[in-house]
Amino acid sequence: MSDVIPAGHKSISYTDLAGSPLQQLNSSLLDKAGVQLYVKRDDLIHPQFGGNKWRKLKYNLINARQKQHHTLLTFGGAWSNHIYATAAAAKDFDFNSIGIIRGEKHTPLNATLSFAEKCGMQLHYVDRNEYRQKKESHYLQKLKQQFGEFYLLPEGGSNALAMKGCEEIVDEINAVLDRPFDTICCASGTGATLAGLVKAIKPEQSAIGFSALKGGSFLADDVAVFLKDTAPDSSDTSADLHRVNWRVEQRFHFGGYAKINDELINFMRQFQSQYGFELDAVYTGKMFYGLLTLIEQGAFKPGSIIVAVHSGGLQGNKGFNL
């Protein structure tokens, strides 16, 4: 599969956007724990569709173009990073786009949906009962009758092609570090990013997904399904699916998806002041809070190299007036 996505009269290569810096953090906490912490700054890939959203979109856009689709259709909530990123990428790569939005339309539109609409995305609002049908074939067929042919991007952009894009994060890190990292961490909402990382790391390395959701135990099962579906022999339900070198950390969700409190906000502000870059309240703020808590508790052996993936999503902070 080529890394070039033709866009209108021009060809935009993923290599124009490829890669992101690996930034080492320094603090007395890290010195005391004896660990090295690096941040994979995927938030810097692109101002509108950077982070893990671009990792997930990359091969899907290539596939959509190769299959001669002109329209992308996807799903998300009112403050969805995925809706925001898909609308921006569709505009840049000359696709039409349709967003199926969970909930009623409220005017004026919030910053996320207003941006998506300005990018040319057609917004279609559905109630929660209808939204739950987003994976059902009869409902997708209904959408095709309503909107015509489209390339389907699942909620969050999470599928096997998304995993393929996320696997490249590990390759880029390995090309920079002098020795292999021990643990890689990411925020988890659907499990696709974590699954991509798990698939790319070696057995002696580990991966932790920090759930942004309350009751996120199902994420481990979802990761296992992603791994199973992309395994060479997808009928083998045991090999490599629940490897001991990865897990979902469920203790730092702050009450659930998109739930925040003063403790998290104060942490994010202190983090930005200390390290010089912003976190988002839904995903990376919770991940870094959890990761630094684990480091302080001595959860990692001295001498460990840890990499945390900054998956972007900063536009969502507007929903909290941050």
Side-chain angles (χ1 to χ4, degrees), residues 210-316:
F210 286 80
S211 175
L213 314 171
K214 185 177 182 179
S217 58
F218 69 91
L219 282 173
D221 294 330
D222 290 349
V223 171
V225 170
F226 281 126
L227 294 171
K228 174 181 178 295
D229 289 345
T230 58
D233 180 4
S234 60
S235 65
D236 184 351
T237 58
S238 59
D240 249 13
L241 302 188
H242 287 288
R243 282 169 24 182
V244 296
N245 66 337
W246 66 271
R247 65 184 176 91
V248 175
E249 174 58 66
Q250 302 177 51
R251 291 176 290 173
F252 304 102
H253 53 73
F254 284 84
Y257 180 75
K259 302 290 186 181
I260 65 172
N261 59 25
D262 289 341
E263 183 180 11
L264 178 61
I265 293 172
N266 290 335
F267 167 79
M268 290 167 55
R269 288 173 175 164
Q270 182 179 355
F271 185 98
Q272 184 173 5
S273 175
Q274 183 171 3
Y275 298 114
F277 59 91
E278 187 179 0
L279 305 176
D280 83 287
V282 177
Y283 292 105
T284 56
K286 297 178 180 182
M287 175 192 69
F288 275 102
Y289 181 98
L291 175 57
L292 292 176
T293 298
L294 293 180
I295 291 173
E296 186 175 24
Q297 293 173 349
F300 302 95
K301 294 179 180 179
S304 296
I305 296 178
I306 306 166
V307 179
V309 179
H310 192 317
S311 50
L314 299 178
Q315 66 87 26

Side-chain angles (χ1 to χ4, degrees), residues 43-305:
D43 57 307
L44 299 178
I45 290 176
H46 190 278
Q48 279 83 47
F49 49 84
N52 67 335
K53 298 310 176 188
W54 173 246
R55 301 287 186 178
K56 294 179 178 182
L57 284 169
K58 174 190 170 182
Y59 286 109
N60 275 291
L61 295 184
I62 293 171
N63 192 39
R65 186 67 79 209
Q66 289 181 338
K67 292 185 175 180
Q68 299 185 332
H69 284 281
H70 303 287
T71 300
L72 310 175
L73 182 142
T74 196
F75 302 86
W79 288 99
S80 167
N81 292 327
H82 173 64
I83 289 290
Y84 186 96
T86 300
K91 179 182 178 182
D92 274 24
F93 291 103
D94 199 28
F95 287 96
N96 301 317
S97 61
I98 300 168
I100 308 300
I101 309 301
R102 182 183 64 248
E104 297 179 359
K105 180 178 180 179
H106 296 281
T107 54
L109 296 179
N110 68 30
T112 298
L113 297 182
S114 177
F115 173 82
E117 198 170 69
K118 288 176 182 177
C119 287
M121 177 174 275
Q122 180 182 348
L123 302 179
H124 180 69
Y125 299 85
V126 300
D127 62 37
R128 292 180 180 273
N129 288 331
E130 183 173 342
Y131 191 84
R132 292 190 187 101
Q133 302 176 52
K134 59 185 177 291
K135 295 182 180 180
E136 298 181 15
S137 58
H138 70 87
Y139 181 63
L140 297 175
Q141 187 59 40
K142 175 185 173 182
L143 292 178
K144 287 187 177 181
Q145 292 173 356
Q146 182 174 358
F147 296 111
E149 286 296 319
F150 55 77
Y151 182 87
L152 176 66
L153 285 167
E155 183 180 38
S158 299
N159 57 16
L161 290 174
M163 280 181 58
K164 182 177 179 180
C166 293
E167 288 179 55
E168 294 179 344
I169 295 172
V170 174
D171 294 333
E172 293 174 16
I173 295 169
N174 290 338
V176 175
L177 289 179
D178 292 333
R179 73 172 179 86
F181 61 83
D182 298 288
T183 303
I184 189 165
C185 304
C186 69
S188 290
T190 64
T193 300
L194 177 58
L197 299 178
V198 171
K199 193 172 181 184
I201 63 175
K202 297 184 181 302
E204 61 270 21
Q205 297 174 307
S206 64
I208 305 173
F210 286 80
S211 175
L213 314 171
K214 185 177 182 179
S217 58
F218 69 91
L219 282 173
D221 294 330
D222 290 349
V223 171
V225 170
F226 281 126
L227 294 171
K228 174 181 178 295
D229 289 345
T230 58
D233 180 4
S234 60
S235 65
D236 184 351
T237 58
S238 59
D240 249 13
L241 302 188
H242 287 288
R243 282 169 24 182
V244 296
N245 66 337
W246 66 271
R247 65 184 176 91
V248 175
E249 174 58 66
Q250 302 177 51
R251 291 176 290 173
F252 304 102
H253 53 73
F254 284 84
Y257 180 75
K259 302 290 186 181
I260 65 172
N261 59 25
D262 289 341
E263 183 180 11
L264 178 61
I265 293 172
N266 290 335
F267 167 79
M268 290 167 55
R269 288 173 175 164
Q270 182 179 355
F271 185 98
Q272 184 173 5
S273 175
Q274 183 171 3
Y275 298 114
F277 59 91
E278 187 179 0
L279 305 176
D280 83 287
V282 177
Y283 292 105
T284 56
K286 297 178 180 182
M287 175 192 69
F288 275 102
Y289 181 98
L291 175 57
L292 292 176
T293 298
L294 293 180
I295 291 173
E296 186 175 24
Q297 293 173 349
F300 302 95
K301 294 179 180 179
S304 296
I305 296 178

